[in-house]
Every structure is written in structure tokens, then in C-alpha cells.
Amino acid sequence: MGGGWWGEPAPRPDPKAEAMTELERKRGGAPVPADWTYAPAPEARDIVSLRERYGLYVGGEWIEPHAGETFTTIDPSTEEPLAEIAQAGPEDVGLAVEAARDAFENGWSALAPSERAKYLFRIARILQERSREFAVLESLNGGKPIRESRDVDLPLSAAHFFYYAGWADKLEYAFPNRAPRPVGVAGQIIPWNFPLLMLAWKVAPALAAGNTVVLKPAETTPLSALLFCDVVRQAELPPGVVNIVTGDGRTGAEIVKHPGIDKIAFTGSTDVGKAIQRELAGTRKKLTLELGGKAANVVFDDAPLDQAIEGIVNGIYFNQGHVCCAGSRLLVQESIYEQLIAKLKRRLTTLRVGAPLDKNTDVGAINSRQQLEKIEQLVESGRDEGAEIYQPPCRLPERGYWFVPTVFTNVAQSYRIAQEEIFGPVLSVLTFRTPDEAVEKANNTPYGLSAGVWTEKGSRILAMAQRLRAGVVWANTYNRFDPASPFGGYKESGFGREGGLHGLEPYLRFDP
Ligand code: NDP
């Protein structure tokens, strides 16, 4: 006991110290760090076992590339080589298309739809069972934080297979009186920002509709697609239904022009999307393009501000901003501008940039040197054109590819940072006074993939959603995905929808 009522008054306890004592008691006496820094919390990497070298997965077998060409895939956070990957040439793409055609004609397309569904359910369950392994691999090869691979990429990939498994035997109900039939062999080309999720978006609806596929993952992130081949085997999918050919853009171009392909599904840059459209003009091949974006995230003065700050951060710093639908243009109503920017800057100082496999990391590594250079170049242009840059104090790792979360204010609509897709953790802030002005500015872009609206008024949300030229409009949230919800763009963001019933349509034909 301390001093009694008769002695000197005891000094008033420091409330902070008291709180610490309480915390320490709860933690069994373990000292609590005074400055609240995070201790490293790395996810174990040894759950993933990598081969030194990978071939091409064709007709249910691993084959060597015809020309013997390979390239090295790395961990972008350390530049450490991970494995040697095969570069598929025209002969290899030809073999893959042949295997897919054979599987399509000799079994898969005629299989009872409920049997097809069983395979898809199996794949979904295996992905769930092996989700930790896939999440670690995705972070290792792509640089994204493990928290995101674990909590977003993997659950959504499995959910996609579950969702489309459910449709496989209900196509007649989904498209009544239209006699839906599979298209044939689908050529699918995917990017590096969500490697497994993009694979799931492409493969699940294609198989559910009775097609077979030849898929090319991006050059920098082939490993999760190659591990997926193991899932395909485990699920005992008939050989040739899924074929994975790795390589760079040349392999993609071979798939696009191969005459044995019936449908191309592409996600990537607008430039390559346009080149593909030109290549396919006049052919009978079906095409869907999911391309870039420069989304407006519009915050009105009646928005719940703290919630909006989280939405803005999630909108642009999620997955290092390597997101086609990223909220990369923030439109703030003038009356709350100062307050919002102050809050946003404060929030940025709490983002932890670092090792992708650390469970405390918020922002991981940039996917490749090439992408880092592109971001640096556009940020430089923002400075040169007169925008004001803010970057929180941040110590970056010495090796690997990194970029500090960045906010540009004082941005004019004509600046490159307000027009071009940066595809990095860089936000451009603009202001508006009236809803009309917000709509005008939000739609002032060649793209039209997504948008966000923050306001407490339901009527304003509906009015804005009708006027924003974007395939997806999120209200009081951002970057929310659900397999039942169609996703896709207007204008230079492409055409066709992925997800939901709409996502089945490009993989079906309805002619008599
Ligand atoms: P690309 O469009 O080049 O890559 C997407 C996929 O297409 C990859 O698998 C790529 O192979 C392949 N590809 C490349 N050239 C061709 C071709 N001529 N024919 C067929 N397939 C081809 O995007 P990048 O990776 O070069 O990124 C560049 C920019 O594109 C980014 O900075 C970003 O702005 C944007 N982007 C947008 C994405 C989106 O989701 N909307 C996704 C990725 C990028 P490989 O990987 O070997 O080049």
C-alpha cells in the first residue's frame, strides 16, 4: 500500500502508465513496446516447394518447350530468382490448342453438366484446402502483401469456382429458350496483378459452360498458374481440359492468332487489347477485353469522413495500386477538402510498406522493375507539370522494387497523372463544387471501368450511379468483389463482363 490519508498525498498515477500496466497484465506480464512499433510477423515460406524448372502443362502432361527457351521468374521484393520458366513458342501453343480441341470434342463438351460441376466443386475445395500454400506463393512471386493474398485473392478464387460450379447444370434456366452451347477452345491471357484470381475469373466460367482452355499467365507471375496444374491433376480433370502455356507477349500473340481458338479472353493493358482487337477483326473468334482504368472516387461533403478515408486508402493502395479498377483519381467536394486531406495524410503515415510475407505489411513490393520505372516516370511528370506531392516518411528495403504511397494535390485535369493509368500506389486529388461538376470530371477520361461515391444520401448515390460512365459503381465502399456480380468496362476499359450470369455469356453460343 502507498501513503495513507495522513501522509503526503500519493502522486497521481499517469493514465498512460496505468493503461500499460493493464495491458501488460493481460499479456501475462510481457512488456508492451512503448512506441507501438510492429515486430516482424513473417508467414512461413516453407509451405511452398518450388521446382528449379517448370515445363508447359499440355494435355495433362508437363512438356518441354520446343525451342528450349526459358526465362527466370523472381521475387520482386528481393530480386531473388525463384525458378526457370518455359517460353512457349508457336509449336507449343499449337500442341496446347490441339490438346484442348481433342478434350473438347472427345468428352468434355458432351459430359453431363452435373458431372462438369463436380470437377469445378472439387477444384474450389482443393483451392480452399491449399489456400495457405497458394497465398504464400502469390505473395512470393507477385510482391503483394500476404494479408491480401490470404484474405482476398484466395477466398475469391475459390468462391469463383464454387459460384460457376453451381451454374454448370443450370444453363438452360440461366438462358431460357436460347439453347446455350459451349463455344469450343478458349484462349485466355491474364496479367500479373491478381494472377490466381484472374485465372479463376477466366477458367471457371469457361469450364462451367463446357469449353476447354489454353491459358497464358503473365511473364512475371507464372507460378500460381503452374501450381494450379497440380490442382487440376488432383481434381482428376480429364487431360487437355486445362492447358497452361507460359511465356511473354509473344506467346500471347500466338494464342490470339491461332486458327484453332474460338474465343479470346484478355485482361491487361489497353494498348495490347487494341492490338488484339485489330488482329481478330474479320475473324469468327469471340472476344472479351478487360483493360485499364482511371477511376474517380467521389467524396461529397456529407460523407462519413473516417469511413471515406479507409475507402480511399483501400481504393488506391490495395495491391500497391496494381488494380485496373483502382480509385486513382480522388474527387473531393471543396468544402471538406482541407479536412479530408489532413486526415488522409495522417492515415498514410500509418501504412506499413515492406516484406510481402510479413502479416503486418499493408503495401508490398512493386511487381517488376519495368512497372516501377513506369510509376517513377509518371510521378516525375506530375512534379514537372506542377502538382504538389506528399509522401509519408518511410524507409524502403534496399533490394527489390518499392514505391512509397504517394498523394498528389493541386492536380489539373489535363495532367498526365490525372489522365493515364499509373498502376501504382499514387493518388491524384482534384476538387469539385457541385454534383454536376463531379460527374463531368469523373467522366472526363478515356476509360470507364469503375467509380466510387461517398455520401450519406441514398438518392444521391442512385443519381450519381446513373450518370457515371463506369461498369461498376461502389457506394460508400470500394474494391468489393463478388463472383455473382458482373465486372467490366465502357470505352477504352474494354467490353464484355466477367462474373455473374453475364460472365457465362461470352463462353456460350446460342445460334440454332
Ligand atoms: P500487358 O497488357 O502487356 O500484359 C497482359 C498480358 O498480355 C500478359 O500476359 C502479357 O504477357 C500479354 N501480352 C503482352 N503482349 C501481348 C500481345 N501482343 N498479344 C497477346 N498477349 C500479350 O500489360 P503489362 O504487363 O505490360 O503492363 C503494362 C501496363 O498495362 C501496366 O502498367 C498497366 O497500366 C496496364 N495493366 C492493366 C491491367 C488490368 O488489369 N487492366 C493488368 C496489367 C497491366 P507478358 O506478361 O509476358 O508481357
Side-chain angles (χ1 to χ4, degrees):
M1 289 252 305
W5 62 271
W6 60 90
E8 289 286 313
R12 282 171 70 106
D14 173 359
K16 249 197 203 159
E18 260 203 346
M20 293 278 256
T21 326
E22 180 60 27
L23 262 175
E24 279 166 6
R25 242 196 326 274
K26 279 192 184 151
R27 298 176 110 209
V32 174
D35 61 354
W36 299 101
T37 50
Y38 284 76
E43 175 64 88
R45 185 191 149 156
D46 53 13
I47 191 166
V48 168
S49 64
L50 289 173
R51 297 191 210 160
E52 260 176 45
R53 185 189 165 92
Y54 289 85
L56 307 163
Y57 191 70
V58 173
E61 304 287 338
W62 291 102
I63 64 165
E64 284 298 310
H66 190 263
E69 204 185 321
T70 63
F71 60 93
T72 307
T73 190
I74 64 165
D75 171 349
S77 70
T78 59
E79 296 169 66
E80 174 204 346
L82 294 174
E84 282 299 300
I85 306 297
Q87 166 73 36
E91 297 84 358
D92 307 306
V93 169
L95 285 178
V97 174
E98 229 172 81
R101 173 68 52 198
D102 189 37
F104 178 75
E105 278 169 8
N106 300 310
W108 185 251
S109 60
L111 200 66
S114 57
E115 288 300 309
R116 282 206 306 269
K118 279 187 200 165
Y119 288 107
L120 290 174
F121 278 123
R122 254 188 233 168
I123 291 173
R125 279 197 299 269
I126 297 169
L127 282 179
Q128 282 185 322
E129 280 160 19
R130 298 179 68 173
S131 65
R132 218 179 112 223
E133 185 185 358
F134 268 101
V136 170
L137 186 61
E138 204 70 321
S139 288
L140 203 58
N141 199 197
K144 60 173 66 196
I146 185 72
R147 212 160 41 85
E148 291 176 6
S149 331
R150 182 194 65 195
D151 299 346
V152 181
D153 296 63
L154 261 296
L156 276 177
S157 301
H160 244 79
F161 278 99
F162 275 122
Y163 176 77
Y164 280 110
W167 276 123
D169 60 352
K170 299 173 194 72
L171 298 176
E172 299 285 344
Y173 302 96
F175 304 99
N177 303 319
R178 294 179 70 193
R181 278 176 300 139
V183 171
V185 177
Q188 309 183 316
I189 301 161
I190 58 172
W192 41 262
N193 51 347
F194 294 91
L196 185 72
L197 185 59
M198 288 303 104
L199 175 150
W201 278 28
K202 301 265 180 291
V203 173
L207 299 196
N211 304 276
T212 56
V213 307
V214 175
L215 178 136
K216 185 194 98 63
E219 182 185 352
T220 55
T221 53
L223 291 177
S224 53
L226 292 167
L227 185 61
F228 182 76
C229 300
D230 205 33
V231 172
V232 162
R233 278 191 175 199
Q234 219 180 324
E236 296 176 6
L237 202 68
V241 173
V242 170
N243 304 276
I244 307 281
V245 288
T246 47
D248 58 21
R250 289 171 293 163
T251 310
E254 289 300 333
I255 295 177
V256 170
K257 68 176 188 224
H258 195 288
I261 296 268
D262 300 294
K263 186 240 166 348
I264 291 288
F266 172 81
T267 299
S269 63
T270 297
D271 286 347
V272 174
K274 285 181 181 172
I276 292 177
Q277 198 174 7
R278 278 194 294 271
E279 175 76 33
L280 296 191
T283 70
R284 54 166 189 88
K285 288 180 197 170
K286 286 182 94 160
L287 174 65
T288 42
L289 296 174
E290 202 267 90
L291 309 175
K294 191 73 189 175
N297 205 359
V298 185
V299 184
F300 285 95
D301 58 5
D302 62 347
L305 266 201
D306 290 326
Q307 206 180 316
I309 294 290
E310 291 312 306
I312 295 163
V313 167
N314 178 36
I316 184 64
Y317 303 114
F318 167 61
N319 200 30
Q320 296 71 248
H322 301 328
V323 185
C324 46
C325 51
S328 52
R329 284 183 304 149
L330 176 63
L331 297 188
V332 187
Q333 196 152 21
E334 245 177 45
S335 47
I336 52 162
Y337 176 78
E338 303 288 340
Q339 195 191 357
L340 185 139
I341 294 299
K343 272 180 185 276
L344 181 62
K345 287 182 177 172
R346 203 173 323 128
R347 178 68 176 87
L348 247 63
T349 61
T350 67
L351 287 180
R352 289 178 302 274
V353 182
L357 283 183
D358 192 312
K359 289 172 219 155
N360 290 324
T361 292
D362 296 310
V363 180
I366 299 302
N367 184 266
S368 65
R369 180 182 297 281
Q370 192 192 6
Q371 188 59 29
L372 179 59
E373 284 167 4
K374 181 181 167 189
I375 297 169
E376 287 170 344
Q377 200 193 55
L378 276 160
V379 165
E380 207 43 52
S381 83
R383 276 201 177 101
D384 292 347
E385 286 186 299
E388 208 170 287
I389 190 167
Y390 172 77
Q391 294 178 317
C394 180
R395 201 184 308 138
L396 297 179
E398 275 165 21
R399 297 212 57 181
Y401 315 130
W402 304 93
F403 202 81
V404 181
T406 300
V407 175
F408 272 114
T409 49
N410 207 12
V411 178
Q413 287 190 81
S414 58
Y415 291 178
R416 287 181 67 195
I417 52 168
Q419 287 293 328
E420 293 180 33
E421 186 178 44
I422 302 176
F423 226 61
V426 182
L427 179 66
S428 302
V429 187
L430 299 106
T431 57
F432 67 91
R433 289 184 190 165
T434 62
D436 282 348
E437 190 186 345
V439 171
E440 193 73 32
K441 285 186 169 166
N443 289 341
N444 179 14
T445 164
Y447 297 108
L449 191 56
S450 57
V453 180
W454 296 83
T455 171
E456 66 160 20
K457 292 187 186 64
S459 54
R460 182 175 275 167
I461 289 170
L462 294 174
M464 288 296 288
Q466 276 179 343
R467 298 175 68 196
L468 291 170
R469 294 290 292 159
V472 179
V473 179
W474 284 293
N476 292 333
T477 186
Y478 208 91
N479 274 339
R480 290 267 172 165
F481 301 96
D482 189 296
S485 173
F487 183 89
Y490 287 103
K491 302 194 278 185
E492 295 205 3
S493 293
F495 49 79
R497 295 291 178 265
E498 296 186 289
L501 260 189
H502 305 67
L504 283 166
E505 227 169 311
Y507 291 99
L508 291 167
R509 59 197 167 96
F510 303 98
D511 44 0

